Amino acid sequence: MSMFNSIGFEAEVKCSANKFYRFFKNNITQLANHFPENYKSIQVIEGLGLSVGSVRLWIQELDGSLITTKERMVYANDETKSITWSFLEGPVTNIHPTFQIKLLSVTPTREGVCMAKWAVNFDNIGGDSPIPSAFIDSIRMVSAELPSRLLAER
């Protein structure tokens, strides 16, 4: 029996909502440049990488292991600043056949600060599959550190 789980969380981000959202929609492959200790390579392998249907191949360090995953952007809404990525291949899909990361919204809170709402959705086969906490921790870290790393490169 499979159960569907969703873990949501918020992250305060020290940059504008538009800048944060545009980075994830248009420049997500640049995570490898900004976080080389975590992301070794992110390559667009189908599409242009900027639109729904684009597929990327990721090589990243997660929980002390180098893993390769393939994901597809399945939804993007510029008005609500939301994006959904669905994972197609990789170790996480062996445990959770359905695995998605969602940027639910990015909302300005004050000048130069926004709130990013995230969700990680996954199948929990038999009710005892592990929670993908390494992915959640990675998203939290990137949300917190990305603005300062973007500014440091200017």
Side-chain angles (χ1 to χ4, degrees):
M1 178 181 199
S2 175
M3 298 172 58
F4 192 73
N5 289 321
S6 182
I7 297 176
F9 55 94
E10 294 181 346
E12 184 177 78
V13 182
K14 293 182 174 138
C15 74
S16 76
N18 284 331
K19 185 175 185 176
F20 189 77
Y21 170 73
R22 282 193 311 261
F23 180 87
F24 282 95
K25 182 166 184 243
N26 302 326
N27 300 307
I28 198 165
T29 58
Q30 297 303 308
L31 281 174
N33 294 336
H34 298 294
F35 296 91
E37 68 278 14
N38 302 95
Y39 301 97
K40 306 309 177 191
S41 170
I42 305 168
Q43 300 174 2
V44 176
I45 58 173
E46 286 181 34
L48 299 175
L50 306 174
S51 59
V52 170
S54 295
V55 176
R56 282 167 288 277
L57 184 67
W58 296 62
I59 300 173
Q60 69 185 100
E61 190 168 315
L62 206 58
D63 264 352
S65 298
L66 205 57
I67 66 165
T68 301
T69 57
K70 190 187 292 186
E71 61 77 14
R72 177 185 314 270
M73 183 191 301
V74 295
Y75 176 81
N77 184 314
D78 293 341
E79 188 174 311
T80 60
K81 295 179 182 56
S82 55
I83 306 169
T84 301
W85 300 273
S86 196
F87 285 64
L88 308 171
E89 295 177 15
V92 71
T93 60
N94 296 335
I95 299 168
H96 307 289
T98 300
F99 186 80
Q100 293 182 329
I101 294 177
K102 294 183 174 194
L103 178 57
L104 298 172
S105 65
V106 185
T107 308
T109 56
R110 60 186 187 276
E111 183 71 30
V113 180
C114 64
M115 186 64 67
K117 291 185 182 180
W118 294 93
V120 176
N121 298 337
F122 56 97
D123 279 342
N124 192 352
I125 306 300
D128 60 357
S129 299
I131 291 173
S133 57
F135 281 93
I136 294 167
D137 293 344
S138 180
I139 296 165
R140 285 183 196 271
M141 181 274 300
V142 166
S143 294
E145 293 185 23
L146 182 63
S148 63
R149 293 190 185 205
L150 286 172
L151 292 173
E153 292 189 351
R154 288 190 176 182

